[in-house]
Amino acid sequence: MTKHEQILQHIRSLEVGNKISVRHVAKVLGVSEGTAYRAIKDAENQGLVSTIERVGTIRIEKKQKENIEKLTFAEVINIVEGSVLGGRNGLYKTLNKFVIGAMKAEAMMRYVEAGNLLIVGNREQVHKLALEAGSAVLITGGFDTSEDVKQLADNLELPLITTSYDTFTVATMINRAIYDQLIKKEIISVEDILIPVEKTDFLTAGEKLSRWRELNEETGHSRYPVVDPELKLLGIVTAKDVIGEEPDTQVEKIMTRQPIAVTSLTSVASAAHMMVWEGIELLPVIDQGKKLIGVISRQDVLKALQMIQRQPHVGDTIEDLVTRHFEDISTPQEHAFTLEVSPQMTNHLGTISYGVVTTIVTESSSRVLRKYKKGDLVVENITIFFIKPVQIDAAILVKPKVLEVGRKFGKVDVELFHQGQLVGKALLVAQLIDR
């Protein structure tokens, strides 16, 4: 096990709420502070710890996908750029809902329950009542509170937070964070579809090629990961590698070393792109230490992509915003779409943003290519020419023209018009993934 893996294992073994420091980890495990820092950053990416300004790094409960719309108090502090006045030991806890305190104390307390976050201004009595009810408190406007209230927060291990933002802004920021997490929840990743290592057929480096032939007869598959005794991925063996080889040849002598692999957090769309581009039917899935944790097949990836398209969406991305306003006005002679530039589609100058133009080109190309060939589209290259700026509320006419459609690739020329004048032009090349 590498030093990096040892540190991650040590972090996982800590109780939720424990404070973690680079210096302490380096001293306990006998590693350099640089190694400890990199491992703690990796743990933060994995959702094992949270780092808060002026507080430090603490061990938190890793959120499951189905619970992703809930936030810990540590995350709230980072969202609202706040600081902790008391109750540091409760920062790892998850809040159930937040309540805005904009009424008399007696009426307000009817809505405040244990596990809540009360957002309120400089009302010291309300701070105390909320803490006694089991609710954390977020004080807006940059105000402080009394030492008695801070002591109470420490005793009850309920976070007492202050932020310079006003109540409305804070509520908007927290809502935005939850909304963003809901969008992330919809993105299917490799961990949602992988075949776990317990159900995966693989070879060890010391085995003979005869074992590959046995597995091939049993499963009908021809591609197997090769691992060492600790399940660390060393290579992969395919039908191409075994041609002309003797049955007693060792697997490690013919395997392809440093194979393409993905992690559990890789999106299914990225995995599909790799598989199509490289012509791969199976990908190993590894953890941070390159240990095999499972595999994904091309068939499972394509099924997942189809499922994504059928799912109802909770959060709106920029792409959702643009495509919702798309209107198809195609005729038998040509493909055409119209779109009105809304305020959200513009940049700081009030003209259509480059990102929105890219989305328009991609969406219109995707729609026309689907009329020639069913399947999903992965953009390989886009060349865009911005001829004239397009301002807010302008109506755009989009004319995509298919130049070529092959078995795996499509090329589309897209022209954008406003009031009869050419304002933009693009050439898109895309990979086509069969369903």
Side-chain angles (χ1 to χ4, degrees):
M1 187 184 292
T2 64
K3 290 178 180 179
H4 186 91
E5 290 168 330
Q6 286 174 7
I7 297 168
L8 288 175
Q9 193 174 56
H10 169 71
I11 290 170
R12 289 190 192 98
S13 70
L14 296 174
E15 286 187 16
V16 172
N18 268 28
K19 198 166 180 181
I20 300 165
S21 73
V22 170
R23 189 172 296 174
H24 179 72
V25 169
K27 186 177 178 182
V28 169
L29 298 179
V31 298
S32 70
E33 290 191 3
T35 302
Y37 174 79
R38 286 190 292 274
I40 290 171
K41 276 295 172 189
D42 189 12
E44 190 171 359
N45 293 334
Q46 293 182 37
L48 298 171
V49 302
S50 181
T51 302
I52 307 162
E53 194 177 347
R54 297 187 294 276
V55 173
T57 304
I58 58 170
R59 175 77 166 92
I60 60 170
E61 192 74 54
K62 188 174 181 179
K63 285 203 293 290
Q64 299 300 313
K65 262 206 166 184
E66 58 271 18
N67 194 35
I68 201 167
E69 61 270 22
K70 292 190 176 180
L71 300 169
T72 62
F73 294 113
E75 289 171 311
V76 169
I77 293 171
N78 288 332
I79 291 163
V80 302
E81 300 171 19
S83 56
V84 184
L85 300 176
R88 276 183 170 79
N89 292 338
L91 290 174
Y92 67 90
K93 294 176 182 176
T94 302
L95 66 105
N96 298 323
K97 65 177 180 180
F98 64 87
V99 180
I100 296 174
M103 56 188 84
K104 289 184 178 179
E106 310 82 59
M108 191 191 308
M109 294 314 296
R110 290 205 299 267
Y111 300 96
V112 178
E113 301 169 353
N116 290 177
L117 174 66
L118 176 65
I119 302 172
V120 69
N122 57 337
R123 299 170 66 181
E124 189 180 312
Q125 186 59 29
V126 172
H127 303 163
K128 187 177 179 183
L129 289 171
L131 290 168
E132 288 171 345
S135 171
V137 178
L138 173 55
I139 306 170
T140 59
F143 293 108
D144 202 343
T145 190
S146 70
E147 291 302 319
D148 289 343
V149 173
K150 292 176 186 177
Q151 187 61 52
L152 180 62
D154 286 336
N155 295 340
L156 297 174
E157 296 188 350
L158 288 170
L160 183 62
I161 306 161
T162 183
T163 177
S164 59
Y165 292 107
D166 62 82
T167 303
F168 176 80
T169 304
V170 164
T172 304
M173 292 166 86
I174 295 173
N175 263 325
R176 180 72 253 181
I178 294 171
Y179 196 63
D180 288 347
Q181 291 199 6
L182 284 170
I183 292 173
K184 288 179 185 176
K185 182 180 176 181
E186 293 173 0
I187 299 171
I188 294 182
S189 57
V190 165
E191 68 181 338
D192 297 315
I193 63 167
L194 71 82
I195 302 164
V197 70
E198 301 81 32
K199 298 180 182 178
T200 298
D201 294 307
F202 55 83
L203 298 165
T204 55
E207 287 185 299
K208 303 283 179 64
L209 194 52
S210 54
R211 177 59 183 151
W212 179 92
R213 299 190 191 282
E214 287 173 16
L215 286 174
N216 180 240
E217 287 178 13
E218 287 173 21
T219 66
H221 299 148
S222 61
R223 190 178 181 91
Y224 300 98
V226 182
V227 297
D228 67 10
E230 279 77 45
L231 289 182
K232 194 168 184 177
L233 183 67
L234 301 175
I236 201 153
V237 173
T238 67
K240 184 175 67 176
D241 298 320
V242 305
I243 295 171
E245 298 290 344
E246 295 298 321
D248 61 347
T249 304
Q250 279 196 322
V251 166
E252 66 180 336
K253 290 184 179 178
I254 63 161
M255 70 182 183
T256 301
R257 297 179 185 275
Q258 296 181 330
I260 296 170
V262 292
T263 70
S264 59
L265 299 178
T266 304
S267 72
V268 167
S270 295
H273 183 272
M274 287 183 208
M275 290 177 135
V276 171
W277 184 247
E278 300 289 341
I280 297 171
E281 294 295 325
L282 180 139
L283 274 176
V285 184
I286 55 175
D287 64 12
Q288 298 293 325
K290 294 191 177 178
K291 185 176 177 181
L292 185 71
I293 58 174
V295 295
I296 54 169
S297 71
R298 180 169 170 146
Q299 186 179 13
D300 291 336
V301 165
L302 295 179
K303 280 181 183 176
L305 286 174
Q306 291 174 35
M307 186 182 77
I308 291 168
Q309 292 180 344
R310 291 195 295 267
Q311 277 185 328
H313 289 284
V314 178
D316 281 349
T317 61
I318 293 294
E319 188 172 291
D320 295 327
L321 177 70
V322 173
T323 55
R324 192 188 303 120
H325 292 84
F326 246 53
E327 186 182 345
D328 192 338
I329 58 167
S330 301
T331 65
Q333 290 76 36
E334 66 175 3
H335 301 290
F337 304 90
T338 59
L339 174 77
E340 190 171 296
V341 180
S342 67
Q344 296 97 322
M345 298 180 197
T346 58
N347 57 26
H348 66 288
L349 298 173
T351 59
I352 191 166
S353 75
Y354 303 144
V356 169
V357 173
T358 304
T359 302
I360 290 170
V361 170
T362 306
E363 179 64 21
S364 59
S365 301
S366 177
R367 291 194 186 191
V368 296
L369 283 172
R370 283 199 197 105
K371 293 180 181 180
Y372 288 84
K373 188 167 185 176
K374 289 189 176 178
D376 295 299
L377 175 149
V378 177
V379 175
E380 188 62 38
N381 185 21
I382 300 181
T383 304
I384 299 177
F385 297 93
F386 297 92
I387 298 168
K388 289 185 179 180
V390 180
Q391 65 183 25
I392 196 168
D393 294 333
I396 299 176
L397 175 64
V398 185
K399 289 188 176 181
K401 182 180 174 185
V402 176
L403 302 177
E404 183 184 0
V405 179
R407 192 168 65 87
K408 289 189 175 181
F409 285 91
K411 295 178 184 176
V412 185
D413 176 79
V414 183
E415 292 182 328
L416 281 67
F417 296 88
H418 172 55
Q419 294 180 344
Q421 289 189 317
L422 186 67
V423 295
K425 192 172 175 64
L427 175 66
L428 178 141
V429 181
Q431 294 180 41
L432 304 174
I433 306 173
D434 289 328
R435 284 183 184 167

